[in-house]
Every structure is written in structure tokens, then in C-alpha cells.
Amino acid sequence: MPRAGLTADAVIDAAEGIADGEGLDAVTLARLAADLGVKPPSLYKHVASLEAVRRGLALRGIAEANRRLQLATIGKARDEALHALAEAYWLFARERPGLYAASLRAARPDENDIATAGAAFLGIVLAVLSGYGVAGDDALHATRGLRAIIHGFVSLDMAGGFRLKLDLQESFRRLLDAFASDLAERGGRRLAESGTAR
């Protein structure tokens, strides 16, 4: 019989704790069973596999990212929104490193729930970028660029790669300012071209 009180959500809760404390790779069924005080086969009464646990973590991670980014950017536009979004994403990675890592997973063909959550994430980013006048493929390229900038900075920060005694927030702000300047230039060109086309 399943252990009283143990549920699929409780298993994912335990996985979150392990991932945030020791890294996503530390999440195994054996480790989960030990932390939950059950034998590994007992977990199969609640989760189908380690893959199902990772899927649950991905869903929670994307949902948490979406919640934070939406709260950070509401009522803001252009540079203020861009900085708020990037800083909220960085803070998410710092505070919940395992959940952040899980959130980076791309949806597989049968994972409609993760695809839907990912689409919501994309929608938040595109809404911020729209303030610069970029749209279509330009906006998608910009989204990739922004995620690469933030993830690169976050990864170096988490790995202890920034050892100089220099304000990290200032470095991050300057990086985002350069990106925002490029966005504004591209958006301005697009508007000018559309005006010429008329």
C-alpha cells in the first residue's frame, strides 16, 4: 500500500528540495525514496518514472518563472520592463537553482502541458519586446538573444565565475542597456520602413 500521506505532489516537493540544494542531477528515485522514508519501488505508486519527476519539476519551474516575470513586468514598458524581467529571472535562478535548471527543458512532442507553459513564458517576453516595436521573426530572434544573455550571466554567476570586486548589478544593467539600445534601433528601423512602404 502507498505510504499514508505520500502523494505525487509530495514526491515532486522532495525533488524540488534536492534539486535546489544539490543540483538537478542529484534527483534520483533512490535519493527520493531515502528522503521520503520509503523503498524505491514504493515511489512507482505515485510517479511513473524519474522522467515523470523531471517533467513535474519542469512544469513547476516554468510556472514559477512565469509567475515571477509577470509580476515583475506588470505596468512597465520598454527599458523598465526589460530590466525588471531580466532581474526577476536572475533572482529566480539564484533563489531556486534546481527549479530554474528544470525550467529550461524544451517540451517533447507529447508534452502539451509543458508546451503550453512555455508558450506563456514566450508571451510574457514578447509583450516586453513589443514595446520596442520589434515583431515577427525579429522578436523571436530577440527572445533567443535575451534568454542567452540572461542564462549566460546567470550560469557564470552561479558557477562563481565573477570574482572581480565589481558590482554585478551594474555589469548586468550595462549588458541589458546595450541590448535595449539595439532593440530600439531595430524597432525604429522597422517603423521607418513600414512608413516608407505606405
Side-chain angles (χ1 to χ4, degrees):
M1 291 290 292
R3 194 191 81 180
L6 187 59
T7 64
D9 279 344
V11 174
I12 304 301
D13 288 344
E16 279 190 39
I18 295 168
D20 283 337
E22 301 172 40
L24 193 56
D25 288 342
V27 178
T28 65
L29 291 180
R31 175 62 190 279
L32 282 167
D35 282 13
L36 291 166
V38 299
K39 294 182 178 179
S42 298
L43 289 178
Y44 291 109
K45 298 180 176 75
H46 307 284
V47 292
S49 62
L50 179 59
E51 180 59 27
V53 173
R54 291 188 180 277
R55 178 175 177 166
L57 285 173
L59 271 173
R60 285 196 184 182
I62 299 168
E64 178 64 9
N66 290 349
R67 185 188 69 80
R68 289 178 180 238
L69 300 193
Q70 195 164 39
L71 283 173
T73 57
I74 192 165
K76 299 180 178 71
R78 289 181 65 94
D79 291 4
E80 186 184 12
L82 182 71
H83 280 268
L85 181 146
E87 286 166 11
Y89 203 43
W90 183 15
L91 189 61
F92 170 44
R94 276 187 156 185
E95 292 179 346
R96 306 297 309 276
L99 208 54
Y100 167 76
S103 76
L104 300 176
R105 168 179 169 153
R108 296 175 185 178
D110 62 334
E111 294 179 336
N112 293 332
D113 46 3
I114 293 179
T116 298
F121 176 91
L122 179 60
I124 296 168
V125 177
L126 290 176
V128 169
L129 296 178
S130 68
Y132 293 93
V134 293
D137 285 352
D138 274 349
L140 294 176
H141 286 304
T143 298
R144 284 179 173 172
L146 180 61
R147 286 193 74 190
I149 286 169
I150 297 171
H151 180 67
F153 201 93
V154 160
S155 298
L156 286 167
D157 178 33
M158 291 168 68
F162 297 125
R163 297 189 180 276
L164 295 177
K165 291 183 178 178
L166 200 63
D167 185 359
L168 269 185
Q169 288 287 129
E170 177 64 13
S171 296
F172 197 47
R173 185 188 65 76
R174 291 187 182 201
L175 183 60
L176 292 170
D177 282 345
F179 184 76
S181 178
D182 180 68
L183 283 177
E185 184 180 336
R186 287 178 182 278
R189 282 203 305 266
R190 183 173 176 273
L191 288 173
E193 289 167 0
S194 63
T196 302
R198 291 194 194 97

